[in-house]
Each structure stands twice: as structure tokens, then as C-alpha cells.
């Protein structure tokens, strides 16, 4: 797929110094206040925000622009079986919602979500075919810029498939440990460091207590 066939994708996440994006109990309120302002500004600059179903179930976030003035982007939930609960905040009427689903979704759940004004787009047999979905979001929905807000499993798939263009990570000065606590990118992982996805550091910025690192996808050689 050509890069122009999909929206430009920015992965944004808040992380502890030890690389966790949530505690072992799933608590993910990591960012300082100033960083939350930055995230809401970023949300106001994109056409859509994409998250995984486990993040919906864990955080029940509205995914709207509240801390700054701006339009709410379209919300996209990656949910192959249609598990998004009817009372999830992401389905409220503050912005349109798309459920990116797969052929595993039951007709009953598809109708339930559609009756709550969500649009259900099916790509993929067992998991969501992210590449096809992004092409639809660009071609049919006119989305040029998308914010990926995790979690770890979706971040891995998006990174592995080469669908992420930019990464912004806010590092909060705390360490929480926990072998089961989610990291920025989980999934299957690479066997060797040399197989890792190469990035180029574009910017560092102090935002309140946090440091925000901006990386672009790039062929930088490892030292
Ligand atoms: N600090 C932060 O910035 C931040 C941001 C976001 C999330 N979080 C935390 O991250 C945690 C959730 O992360 P998670 O890794 O458990 O789940 P996730 O990435 O939110 O969701 C993963 C789920 O998406 C569905 N999916 C469908 N197609 C997929 C595909 N092609 N690739 C990947 N996933 C696909 C799968 O469920 P189905 O098979 O059922 O469809 C999969 O289990 C929560 O604790 C949340 O608080 C933290």
C-alpha cells in the first residue's frame, strides 16, 4: 500500500520511565495535567482517534476534545467480535463512532451497535484487517490524519504492519514495575534487536513534569 492510500498515523501514548502504559491492575492515568492539555490539542488536530477494544473495556474513555477548544474527531474502535458495551462512553452522541470489526461479529451485535448510531465496518476474517480499514477510512471517509491511542496489542499490530508514521511518547517520571503491566508495544515481539523497527528522533520537549519524545518512522542505523 502506498502511504498516500492511508491516513497519516500518529501513535501517542503516556509511559512511565520503565516503559509501562498501565499498571498491573490496568490503571493508566499517567500523564501530568500539561500533557493532558497537549493530548487534547492533538485530538483537535486529527480526523479520527483509533483505540483497541481492551482499552475501551479498561478505561471507558470518551475520546473527545475537552481541555482545549476544538472539534471532536471520529472515534474508531478496533473490535473484531463487537464486544463494545452499549453503555460505553465511546458510543455517546458527542462524536460519530466507527467500529472496525471482522467477520466474527455476530449479526445481533452488529445490529446492536448500529442501533446506537455506530457505523460497523468489516475487514478481516478473525481479526480486523487494519491496512484495509485504513484505506477505507482514507478513501471513503476522507480521513487524512489519525491518532492511534493504543493499547499495547493494537500498537504492536499497527507498528508491525508499517502503518504508523509518527510516535509521540510522554514519559512521566515514575516507575511502577510489574511483569504483567502493559508496555508501549506488546504483541509477539521481535527475536533480535536488529529486527526492531527503526525510528528517527525528531523532537524532545519538556511538557510540565513529562518529557515528550517525537519519532518518525525511519531507517536510522543502530549504533
Ligand atoms: N498510557 C496510555 O497512553 C494508554 C493508552 C491506551 C491504552 N492504555 C492501556 O492499555 C491497556 C489495553 O491494551 P491491550 O493491549 O490489552 O489492548 P488493546 O490494544 O486496547 O486492544 C487489543 C484488542 O483489539 C482487538 N483487535 C482486533 N483486531 C486487531 C488487530 N488486527 N490487531 C490488534 N488488536 C486487534 C483484539 O480483541 P478482539 O479479538 O476481541 O477484537 C485485541 O485483543 C489498558 O490497560 C489501557 O489502560 C494505555
Amino acid at each position: 500500500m502506498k502511504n498516500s492510500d492511508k491516513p497519516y498515523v500518529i501513535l501517542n501514548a503516556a509511559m512511565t520511565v520503565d516503559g509501562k502504559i498501565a499498571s498491573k491492575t490496568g490503571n493508566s492515568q499517567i500523564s501530568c495535567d500539561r500533557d493532558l492539555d497537549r493530548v487534547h490539542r492533538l485530538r483537535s488536530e486529527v480526523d479520527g482517534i483509533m483505540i483497541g477494544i481492551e482499552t475501551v473495556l479498561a478505561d471507558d474513555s470518551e475520546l473527545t476534545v475537552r481541555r482545549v477548544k476544538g472539534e471532536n474527531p471520529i472515534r474508531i474502535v478496533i473490535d473484531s467480535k463487537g464486544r463494545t458495551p452499549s453503555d460505553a462512553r465511546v458510543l455517546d452522541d458527542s462524536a460519530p463512532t466507527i467500529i472496525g470489526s471482522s467477520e466474527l461479529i455476530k449479526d445481533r451485535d452488529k445490529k446492536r451497535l448500529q442501533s446506537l448510531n455506530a457505523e460497523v465496518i468489516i475487514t478481516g476474517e478473525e481479526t480486523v484487517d487494519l491496512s484495509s480499514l485504513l484505506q477505507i477510512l482514507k478513501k471513503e471517509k476522507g480521513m487524512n490524519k489519525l491518532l492511534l491511542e493504543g493499547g499495547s496489542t493494537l500498537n504492536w499490530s499497527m507498528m508491525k504492519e508499517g502503518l504508523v508514521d509518527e510516535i509521540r511518547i510522554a514519559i512521566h517520571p515514575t516507575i511502577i514495575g510489574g511483569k504483567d503491566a502493559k508496555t508501549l508495544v506488546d504483541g509477539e515481539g521481535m527475536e533480535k534487536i536488529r529486527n526492531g523497527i527503526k525510528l528517527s528522533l525528531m523532537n524532545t520537549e519538556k511538557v510540565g513534569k513529562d518529557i515528550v519524545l517525537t519519532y518518525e518512522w525511519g531507517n536510522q542505523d543502530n549504533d
Side-chain angles (χ1 to χ4, degrees):
M1 177 174 55
K2 288 202 303 274
N3 227 15
S4 55
D5 291 342
K6 68 165 195 63
Y8 184 85
V9 176
I10 303 172
L11 187 168
N12 186 82
M15 191 174 91
T16 61
V17 171
D18 50 338
K20 313 291 188 190
I21 63 164
S23 71
K24 63 180 181 182
T25 59
N27 179 214
S28 66
Q29 286 156 330
I30 295 171
S31 290
C32 69
D33 266 10
R34 289 264 315 275
D35 189 55
L36 286 175
D37 294 344
R38 178 192 64 82
V39 173
H40 280 241
R41 208 172 307 115
L42 183 55
R43 285 180 178 177
S44 75
E45 292 164 4
V46 297
D47 304 306
I49 309 180
M50 179 184 275
I51 58 166
I53 176 63
E54 294 299 338
T55 297
V56 170
L57 297 175
D59 297 351
D60 195 19
S61 167
E62 260 175 70
L63 294 185
T64 52
V65 178
R66 298 184 303 280
R67 300 175 73 99
V68 299
K69 277 196 179 150
E71 300 250 316
N72 289 330
I74 295 176
R75 302 168 293 192
I76 303 135
V77 180
I78 303 302
D79 175 10
S80 59
K81 303 181 199 81
R83 291 192 288 141
T84 304
S86 299
D87 60 354
R89 287 195 185 136
V90 77
L91 292 174
D92 71 14
D93 58 11
S94 49
T97 303
I98 292 172
I99 307 291
S101 199
S102 78
E103 285 168 21
L104 286 185
I105 189 171
K106 293 206 171 71
D107 212 39
R108 185 188 61 213
D109 284 314
K110 188 175 163 193
K111 288 197 176 117
R112 174 181 64 82
L113 292 162
Q114 286 168 333
S115 76
L116 295 163
N117 289 327
E119 182 176 356
V120 178
I121 299 179
I122 296 179
T123 62
E125 287 178 15
E126 294 188 353
T127 56
V128 177
D129 180 334
L130 297 166
S131 175
S132 303
L133 179 65
L134 287 192
Q135 287 183 62
I136 292 169
L137 295 180
K138 169 88 184 213
K139 208 168 156 202
E140 293 176 21
K141 305 289 169 194
M143 288 193 192
N144 292 317
K145 209 185 240 189
L146 206 67
L147 179 59
L148 170 62
E149 288 204 32
S152 328
T153 310
L154 181 60
N155 287 351
W156 162 258
S157 295
M158 289 286 288
M159 294 286 294
K160 189 186 61 172
E161 292 185 37
L163 299 173
V164 176
D165 299 281
E166 190 179 320
I167 301 175
R168 301 188 192 179
I169 309 165
I171 302 180
H172 191 68
T174 191
I175 287 181
I176 56 171
K179 64 178 167 38
D180 296 326
K182 295 274 168 190
T183 64
L184 178 65
V185 179
D186 286 342
E188 191 190 334
M190 308 288 183
E191 288 189 9
K192 304 272 185 196
I193 301 290
R194 68 164 181 273
N195 299 335
I197 293 158
K198 306 294 183 294
L199 305 172
S200 301
L201 180 64
M202 305 308 287
N203 193 41
T204 61
E205 186 189 1
K206 189 143 191 324
V207 178
K209 291 179 184 163
D210 301 347
I211 290 185
V212 179
L213 304 176
T214 302
Y215 292 94
E216 274 181 6
W217 192 273
N219 269 332
Q220 208 180 58
D221 286 331
N222 273 354
D223 288 330

